[in-house]
Amino acid sequence: IDLDVHQGDGTAALTGENASIFTLSVHSEQAFPLRKSASSMDIGLPTGTGDDEYMASLRERLLGIFEDFRPDFVFYDAGVDCFENDGVKSFCRGHLGLTLAGLRQRDEFVLRE
């Protein structure tokens, strides 16, 4: 589970041919890399997406993945560059607008499920 502002292209490239590994990337559609490697499931969000929209997208997909795929274990990349006040957003294309409360809600949800 890669919840960084950037698409999990490295993970997707490393695991793409292995059907026993499911990769999920939730990211800003406009963030680097512009040419993305396909994950098992990519959720590209509009620039500036906030807490409510982000969590709705994550909840909707993640619960279904856990039911259908039934992983033995999960790696979680809890990126913090989704934060609304991330220092690099002023010179990067594509950013998200999660608050500190939203980041906490996201992490608690993933770890609980």
Side-chain angles (χ1 to χ4, degrees), residues 2 10 16 21 33 37 48 71-72 80 86 92 99 106:
D2 187 331
I21 299 174
S37 298
D72 292 323
V80 295
D86 183 68
C92 287
T99 63
R106 176 199 69 176

Side-chain angles (χ1 to χ4, degrees), residues 3-25:
L3 302 184
D4 191 291
V5 76
H6 304 98
Q7 194 254 0
D9 60 322
T11 303
L14 288 171
T15 62
E17 301 297 319
N18 189 332
S20 69
I21 299 174
F22 190 98
T23 57
L24 168 67
S25 177

Side-chain angles (χ1 to χ4, degrees), residues 7 11 32 45 49 52 62 66 108:
Q7 194 254 0
T11 303
F32 176 86
L45 300 172
T49 296
D52 293 339
L62 192 60
F66 284 161
E108 288 175 350

Side-chain angles (χ1 to χ4, degrees), residues 18-102:
N18 189 332
S20 69
I21 299 174
F22 190 98
T23 57
L24 168 67
S25 177
V26 181
H27 52 271
S28 170
E29 189 61 42
Q30 296 300 313
F32 176 86
L34 295 180
R35 189 176 316 147
K36 299 174 178 21
S37 298
S39 300
S40 303
M41 181 180 289
D42 285 297
I43 303 171
L45 300 172
T47 296
T49 296
D51 296 343
D52 293 339
E53 300 89 353
Y54 187 95
M55 286 304 300
S57 293
L58 181 60
R59 272 193 199 99
E60 178 182 331
R61 285 16 174 259
L62 192 60
L63 295 177
I65 291 167
F66 284 161
E67 285 179 18
D68 295 342
F69 194 73
R70 299 189 170 273
D72 292 323
F73 59 90
V74 175
F75 288 104
Y76 177 35
D77 177 1
V80 295
D81 53 1
C82 305
F83 179 51
E84 64 184 348
N85 293 326
D86 183 68
V88 299
K89 88 175 191 181
S90 62
F91 61 89
C92 287
R93 279 179 30 144
H95 59 275
L96 297 174
L98 275 67
T99 63
L100 289 176

